Amino acid sequence: MTANAPSVVERSERTRAIRLKPRSAAAIVAVSLAGVIAFAWPLLVDPGTAFAHSTDAPLVFSLLMPLLLAVVLAEVSEGGLDVKAIAMLGVLSAVGAALRPLGAGTAGLETVFFLLVLGGRVFGAGFGFVLGATTLFASALITGGVGPWLPFQMLGAAWVGLGAGLLPAMRGRAEIVLLAAYGAVSGLLYGIALNLMFWPFTTGLDNALSFVAGAPVVENLQRFLVFSFATSLGWDLGRALTNIVLVSLTGGVVLRTLRRAARKAAFEAPVEFTPASPPT
């Protein structure tokens, strides 16, 4: 190996199990922007519009989000989803779906997000995005958690996997610390995003916590922060702590296992067809 040649570890860190072409990357950007609007519409909408005075908006977005996710997943699969990537995606989605019931609903302990972080880290941003969406969808089918909240959960988990694939290159202990910190931050942000999704429906709570249709952005933002602190901070901290512990304890082993699988799969190796030899 020459001095300028990248090591095996460095090559595997840049594995892209799903190659994002311009159209598929644009589709992810578009659905992410739509997702930001869907999550944060109470803080973004003009107070003077009729839309601001209705709590039907989350229901509208819950119908639109599955269509948008279907479009982006179809675009990604057409751009660079081969048989090997589908097989790896199926395995990790099944593992994540099996892990989630072990912790969901217990003091905010979420046992699935660390796998999204590590999978997105090894196999790339595109793979992480699809893995987050498919894992949450599969787990919802297993646990009976299908409802208007599911598209929001799928997109939030997809963002977690996507962000893990975009983290800067590091190795050794520094990489584990980076991934643990990212797991903590993404776990907190995931909880905040999901709070925004159902917050407008909690109009029956005390006024200090409730969404006030048509109120100024600053006022509703203050109400939302109080609502999040009072109702879900403990759960969000539990998710963040779970990510830190699981990444710290299992990150090294899981990363080596996934990178070994990535090397054997050779996702980025060019496919060559050779003509069959004539019969002798």
Side-chain angles (χ1 to χ4, degrees), residues 53-217:
H53 296 270
S54 173
T55 56
D56 294 335
L59 297 177
V60 174
F61 287 128
S62 68
L63 296 176
L64 290 178
M65 289 307 300
L67 299 178
L68 294 174
L69 284 171
V71 169
V72 72
L73 293 177
E75 192 62 52
V76 169
S77 64
E78 184 176 349
L81 190 61
D82 60 14
V83 176
K84 294 178 290 186
I86 292 175
M88 183 60 66
L89 185 64
V91 170
L92 292 182
S93 296
V95 172
L99 285 174
R100 194 177 184 213
L102 300 179
T106 307
L109 302 179
E110 292 277 5
T111 53
V112 66
F113 285 91
F114 89 101
L115 185 62
L116 304 182
V117 172
L118 299 178
R121 173 66 171 178
V122 173
F123 296 110
F127 186 93
F129 184 91
V130 179
L131 177 63
T134 56
T135 299
L136 268 290
F137 179 75
S139 68
L141 295 180
I142 293 175
T143 60
V146 178
W149 54 84
L150 178 58
F152 295 89
Q153 292 177 332
M154 291 172 61
L155 182 58
W159 282 339
V160 172
L162 176 71
L166 297 175
L167 293 174
M170 288 185 181
R171 287 181 292 175
R173 187 61 186 169
E175 181 181 35
I176 299 299
V177 172
L178 173 66
L179 294 178
Y182 174 78
V185 173
S186 61
L188 290 173
L189 293 179
Y190 177 87
I192 292 174
L194 267 294
N195 282 346
L196 270 173
M197 182 271 295
F198 68 83
W199 175 49
F201 290 108
T202 61
T203 53
L205 297 177
D206 182 81
N207 288 336
L209 304 178
S210 301
F211 166 66
V212 178
V217 173

Side-chain angles (χ1 to χ4, degrees), residues 12 122 253-265:
S12 63
V122 173
V253 174
V254 175
L255 286 173
R256 287 194 296 270
T257 302
L258 294 180
R259 283 171 175 158
R260 188 179 303 115
R263 290 196 297 272
K264 291 182 177 180

Side-chain angles (χ1 to χ4, degrees), residues 3-67:
N4 294 329
S7 67
V8 172
V9 174
E10 288 171 339
R11 287 198 301 268
S12 63
E13 284 183 345
R14 292 195 295 267
T15 296
R16 292 178 300 169
I18 296 179
R19 295 177 296 278
L20 291 180
K21 296 183 178 180
R23 283 181 56 180
S24 54
I28 290 179
V29 171
V31 77
S32 295
L33 291 176
V36 170
I37 296 174
F39 277 110
W41 72 268
L43 304 178
L44 300 176
V45 71
D46 186 350
T49 64
F51 198 46
H53 296 270
S54 173
T55 56
D56 294 335
L59 297 177
V60 174
F61 287 128
S62 68
L63 296 176
L64 290 178
M65 289 307 300
L67 299 178

